[in-house]
Amino acid sequence: MIADVSFAHLFRLSDDIGLFEHALGAVPRREHGYCVDDVARGMVVLAREPDPPFELVRLLKRYLAFVVAAQSPDGAMRNRRDTAGRWRDQPGLGDWWGRALWGLGTVAARAPTLRARDTALGRFRASARRRSRWPRAMTFAALGAGEVLLVYPDHQPARDLLAAAVTAIGPPGVDPAWPWPEPALRYANAAVPEALILAGICLPDEAVLASGLRLLAWLLDLETRGGRLSPTPVGGRRPGEDGEPGFDQQPIEAATLADACARAYDLTGQTRWLTGLERAQAWFLGDNDSVVPLLDTLTGGCCDGLEPHGRNINQGAESTLALLSTAQHARRLLAAP
């Protein structure tokens, strides 16, 4: 079964400023405002939608304007904004900076209008000169740099950023039972091998590419239980913690795995990566450790987490975008011709 790519709930969560971060059930929680983290995720999803209708193009432009407004002259990014349009934090280089670069790079490479592509590429360049001390922020930034290089292979700031991200991620571990370059799995884990795969393609570097594919295969095996996806829970996972399923499981884990498997399949054509994508898609539809769907077919939204005996019924931006992202890959690669 392939889930429909419905943007109904994304429109419900969006207004003239941006994308509301949280929801109570399917109702946006306006009091919590917006964040660049989610708006940038929205840019990625909207930019890669094939033949988008006018309403989605307009929404993409609104999200792009939000991220442009978040950027400081030195390339750092603010993250949080209230419904009056006021920024509630100072510019920084945390995860939101990395995701902003991911969004800008994807829009620069894939947006349906030349103006959006040009704006995003200029803003990407302005922030790509910065470096975050946080490896996951650099990982997200690498995804944007890779998107730029696939279209603009001579873009030196993107190349330098991607190389710096490989260094920030670090080499795989020497223990074959735990080759992960970190002492624990944390969040958005499959973004790490996807960044390495992109670096291997774009720099190019065969050793980095091989490391990315090997880490993705290891992660997919680790997060498969009884033929179904059992993602790393919100508390992370450390060596030896391979007993009972962990909870709360987050949609972002399934979505980043789908992203990485789609990237690996596009590169290699190996069906093992389609199997990973199928497991991620099925996780949203109920083939998971609690045997409950995360997709709400009435709203088009996605529940915020999988719990031992059910699901978190709130349908925030991160979760809904994770569902949409995975459904896009499934529609492109799994749907019958």
Side-chain angles (χ1 to χ4, degrees), residues 4 58 60 74 145 172 224 233 251 255 258 279 303:
D4 291 334
R58 184 170 58 183
L60 174 59
D74 67 355
T224 297
R279 291 173 186 165
C303 295

Side-chain angles (χ1 to χ4, degrees), residues 264-280:
Y265 177 76
D266 287 338
L267 173 66
T268 69
Q270 295 176 353
T271 57
R272 66 184 301 183
W273 307 121
L274 290 184
T275 299
L277 175 56
E278 288 171 345
R279 291 173 186 165

